[in-house]
Amino acid sequence: MIKFAKPILALLLLIGLGLPAHAQSKVAIVDLRKVFDEYYKTKAADKTLKDRAEDLEKERKVLTDQYQKLNDDWKKAVDGASDQAVSADEREKRKKAAESKLLEIKELEQNLTQFDRGSRSTLEEQQRSMREKILAEIRTVVTTRAKAANYSLVIDTAAESFNKTPVVLFTNGENDITTAVLSQLNANAPAGSAGDKK
């Protein structure tokens, strides 16, 4: 943990010492996790992803139902192939039918595996894309506010180090722009949405 603290402290010292004496640096803080979670577009994106996941689960259920039916048909065909009450030709015919069902089952198993892999990939890609878009919008608002208030640095108080420990160990809350950023982002929230405070 000390490995990671030293570079951060060195960076902050360089920023503080590197500026001319007459130029006072102003630092703002923002709780990026709170802004992200409470932004109405994040909640809308989460709902979209949840709906998509439910649709994919319905598609998967159709495939698993088909799989179960094929499996049941195969078991009946195997039982029929070993029925001694029928002729040898009929048993052979039923055996071939059972083998055919088994091939269908294996093919459907592959389809299910591909469907699961594709669904997971689709959802992950959609989530990544939505997240990047939302973070870009948040960053634009933070940058605009920081420039307008003449801040030289904005620090995310929710940030964690590689070891999952907080990067910011203390702040007195001064120059916290979290609420202002959230208000600006949610200003155009549709009526009835999660970010609408009207």
Side-chain angles (χ1 to χ4, degrees):
M1 183 164 106
I2 294 175
K3 285 196 284 198
F4 297 107
K6 285 182 180 178
I8 293 170
L9 288 174
L11 174 67
L12 291 174
L13 280 173
L14 283 174
I15 290 170
L17 296 175
L19 296 173
H22 59 63
Q24 184 74 22
S25 68
K26 287 175 65 179
V27 177
I29 58 171
V30 67
D31 185 337
L32 187 59
R33 183 177 298 131
K34 180 178 180 180
V35 172
F36 184 83
D37 289 346
E38 294 182 18
Y39 185 22
Y40 80 94
K41 287 189 179 180
T42 302
K43 295 176 184 198
D46 285 346
K47 184 178 180 335
T48 300
L49 284 170
K50 184 179 175 194
D51 291 347
R52 181 67 180 130
E54 287 172 1
D55 291 344
L56 289 169
E57 189 56 38
K58 286 176 189 172
E59 289 178 44
R60 189 182 195 283
K61 175 130 178 46
V62 169
L63 289 173
T64 54
D65 288 349
Q66 282 179 322
Y67 178 80
Q68 189 60 49
K69 185 179 180 328
L70 269 176
N71 215 12
D72 292 343
D73 291 348
W74 173 73
K75 286 177 184 174
K76 286 178 189 171
V78 167
D79 290 343
S82 59
D83 186 2
Q84 295 299 320
V86 296
S87 69
D89 287 344
E90 182 61 27
R91 280 198 307 270
E92 189 61 32
K93 186 177 166 186
R94 290 179 182 183
K95 183 179 175 185
K96 287 184 179 177
E99 289 171 356
S100 174
K101 291 282 183 202
L102 187 59
L103 289 175
E104 287 181 55
I105 288 171
K106 290 187 182 297
E107 186 179 333
L108 192 53
E109 282 175 348
Q110 288 178 346
N111 290 345
L112 263 168
T113 302
Q114 288 174 349
F115 180 83
D116 287 344
R117 192 177 303 126
S119 296
R120 192 168 37 254
S121 176
T122 298
L123 286 173
E124 286 172 358
E125 177 58 29
Q126 192 173 1
Q127 182 180 32
R128 186 193 60 74
S129 174
M130 289 176 163
R131 181 179 174 84
E132 285 178 3
K133 184 178 178 191
I134 289 168
L135 285 173
E137 290 176 19
I138 292 171
R139 187 179 189 124
T140 299
V141 172
V142 168
T143 301
T144 303
R145 286 203 159 267
K147 287 179 179 178
N150 207 25
Y151 292 118
S152 56
L153 180 68
V154 178
I155 297 175
D156 174 15
T157 57
E160 292 181 340
S161 72
F162 182 73
N163 295 332
K164 299 288 184 196
T165 58
V167 172
V168 177
L169 299 178
F170 171 78
T171 175
N172 63 3
E174 192 177 318
N175 298 333
D176 188 341
I177 62 172
T178 303
T179 304
V181 168
L182 255 174
S183 295
Q184 185 174 341
L185 286 166
N186 288 329
N188 296 324
S193 70
D196 179 32
K197 302 290 184 193
K198 297 169 190 166

